[in-house]
Amino acid sequence: MHRKSILGISVICLLVIVGLAIGGAWLNQSHHDLLGMPAISASEPERQDEAPDQVKVSVKTVVPRIDPSFTMSVDQPAFVGAYYQADLMARVAGPTKSISVDIGDRVQSDQALVVVDVPDLQEAVLQKEAIVQQRKKDLEMARANVKIATAAIHAAEGTVKIKASGVDSADATRNFREKELRRFTVLSKGAHPAVTEDVLEERTLFYESAKAASEEARAEVIKANADLEETKAKLEAAVADVNLKESLVRVAGKDKDLAQTLLDYATIRAPFDGVITRRNVDPGSFVQNATTGHSEPLLTVARTDLVTVYMKVPDNFASFVTPDTEAVIQMNTLPSVKIHAKVTRFAPSLVNPEHDRTMRVEVDLFNGNPTNFAAFVAKEKANGCAGLKGHLLPQLPTIERHAGAAEPVAESLNLLPGMYGNMRLVLRNFKNALLLPSSALVSEGGRNFIYQVKDGRAVKVPVEVQADDGNRVMLTLIEKSGTGLNRRQLCGTDEVVTSNQGELSDGQPVRPTRE
C-alpha cells in the first residue's frame, strides 16, 4: 500500500511538470503574436539579442478619403421644457378660503387662482385707512390755522398803520401845546402880565401831557410792529405744521399701502398665460408663509403654447455653436418626424452646477399651427415682445417626414414638457474635405498628433483639429522645415496609423496593414 501511494504521487508530479512546460511555451507564443513578432525559439537565438526599438509593431493604417460635403455635427439627448414655469406659493399664512382652478385649466395673466383667509390683515387695512383719515383731518386744521395766521397778519399790518397815524396826531398836539406854552410864558412876564401864574402852569401841564402822548404813540407803533412780526412767525409755524401734516398723511398712506399689499398677497394670481400642471391645496387647507417657513407650492402654472427644447453640448463642440446654427430635433414620441429650427440662445460658458463641462443650448418653438402663430406674432409685436425671453419671438418650425423635404408645420406638434429625444446641431459644412477616422487622432498633454508611416517607421506629427464629429476628423499637419513650422492639409497619399498608437514612439518600426 505504501509503494502504491509513492507511485501515485510520482505520476502526479510528472504530469504537473509536463503541463507547466507546455503552458510556458504557449504563453511565449501568444505574447509574441500580440506584438506582431515571431515566437522566440532555440533555433533563432539571434532574435533574442535584437534591440526593443527595432521590433516592428503591427498597426492598421488608412489614407485620407475625400467627402464632397462633410458636415460637422453633434448629437445629444434633448428635453422639452415649458417656456415659463412657476411654482406659486403664499406670502401669507392662513386657511385656504377658495381655489378656482384645477389641473389642466387654462389661466390668464393676473387671474385670481387661490384666496387665503386673513382677517387680521383685513383689519389692519381698515385701521390704516382710519389713521389716514385722521391725518387728513389734522391737515385740514393745520391749513385753517394758516388762514387764521394770514388774517392776523393783515390785522396787525392795519394796526401798525393806525398806530403810525396816532404818532402824527400826537406830534401835532405836542407842537400846538409847545407853541401855546411859549405864548403864555411871554404873556405872563412884564410889569403887567396878561395871564396869571395859574394859567401858565395849566398850559405847561397841557404841553407835558401832549409830549407824553407823543412818546406813547411811538411806543404803540413799536408794539404794533412787534405784534406784526409775531403774527408772521405764527404764519410760518402754521405753514410748517401744514407741511408736517402733509408728510404724516403720506406716511399714513404708505402704511396703508403696505397693509393693502400684504392683504393682496392673500390672493395668488397667475403670473402669465398658461395651464395649471399641479395642484397641492384644497379649500380649508392651511398654508404657510413661504418667506418664513417651509412651504410647498400651492399650484404650478406652465406656459406651453411655447416650449423650449434644450440640450448640453460637450466642450469640444461648444465653440462652434452660433445663433445661426441649425438644429434638427427628433422626439421619441414622434420617431418619423424631424423638427428643423435655429438655435435661439446658448450660454457662452462651460461652467455649470453639474461641473460636466457642457454648454446649454436652447431652441424656442411655437407649439401651435401657422394660423395661431400669425395671431401670436401680431399680439406680441403690438406689446413690444415684452412677455418673451430677451424680447425674441419663438420659431414656427419646419418638419421633415420619412426623410422627405422639410416643410412648414401644418398643425400643432403638441410638444409637452418632459418629452425627450435627440437634437443634432449642424455646426459646420466643408466641401471636398480630406478626412481621417477619429481613431487616428492621439492626444497627449493637451496636444494633438497623429502617426504617419514613412519608410516603414511611425513618425509623430503634431496637428490642428479643424473639425471632429466623433467619427471622422479634419486636420492640418504641422511639420518642421528649415525656416520653422509649416502647416499643410492632408493629401491622399498620407498613410496614417489608426491602431496600437499606445505602443508607438517617434521613429518606431511598424508593420502596416492598409484598411
Side-chain angles (χ1 to χ4, degrees), residues 247-259:
S247 298
L248 293 176
V249 169
R250 288 193 295 269
V251 171
K254 293 297 182 182
D255 286 343
K256 181 201 168 184
D257 292 343
L258 176 59

Side-chain angles (χ1 to χ4, degrees), residues 56-87:
K56 291 184 178 181
V57 178
S58 295
V59 295
K60 295 180 180 180
T61 62
V62 297
V63 294
R65 293 182 174 87
I66 295 179
D67 188 333
S69 58
F70 171 59
T71 298
M72 186 178 70
S73 60
V74 57
D75 291 80
Q76 290 293 320
F79 304 89
V80 178
Y83 187 78
Y84 287 139
Q85 179 169 303
D87 293 330

Side-chain angles (χ1 to χ4, degrees), residues 162-336:
I162 293 174
K163 297 301 182 179
S165 62
V167 169
D168 295 337
S169 175
D171 287 344
T173 302
R174 186 194 63 179
N175 292 335
F176 170 73
R177 292 300 182 183
E178 184 179 9
K179 292 178 180 179
E180 182 182 50
L181 177 59
R182 289 174 183 172
R183 290 196 303 270
F184 275 78
T185 301
V186 172
L187 292 175
S188 65
K189 293 179 180 180
H192 303 283
V195 295
T196 63
E197 288 294 331
D198 294 339
V199 173
L200 180 60
E201 184 179 355
E202 183 181 56
R203 299 306 174 191
T204 300
L205 292 175
F206 285 161
Y207 169 71
E208 293 296 336
S209 176
K211 183 179 178 181
S214 175
E215 292 176 354
E216 181 181 1
R218 283 183 169 79
E220 290 292 336
V221 169
I222 293 174
K223 182 178 182 304
N225 283 322
D227 292 342
L228 176 60
E229 293 301 321
E230 180 182 0
T231 53
K232 287 181 179 180
K234 289 181 178 179
L235 176 60
E236 291 178 359
V239 171
D241 190 49
V242 168
N243 294 333
L244 174 62
K245 294 300 191 297
E246 289 176 344
S247 298
L248 293 176
V249 169
R250 288 193 295 269
V251 171
K254 293 297 182 182
D255 286 343
K256 181 201 168 184
D257 292 343
L258 176 59
Q260 184 64 54
T261 299
L262 294 176
L263 178 60
D264 291 342
Y265 285 148
T267 302
I268 291 87
R269 300 181 178 274
F272 46 78
D273 296 348
V275 62
I276 302 299
T277 59
R278 289 180 62 196
R279 168 178 164 173
N280 300 317
V281 66
D282 293 315
S285 301
F286 191 89
V287 299
Q288 294 287 350
N289 186 336
T291 63
T292 58
H294 176 71
S295 175
E296 66 174 349
L298 309 183
L299 299 169
T300 298
V301 58
R303 182 169 187 177
T304 57
D305 60 329
L306 313 175
V307 293
T308 298
V309 185
Y310 62 93
M311 67 178 288
K312 291 185 174 182
V313 178
D315 55 351
N316 55 321
F317 295 101
S319 60
F320 296 102
V321 179
T322 70
D324 292 327
T325 298
E326 180 184 359
V328 182
I329 304 165
Q330 195 164 11
M331 293 287 106
N332 288 5
T333 54
L334 303 169
S336 61

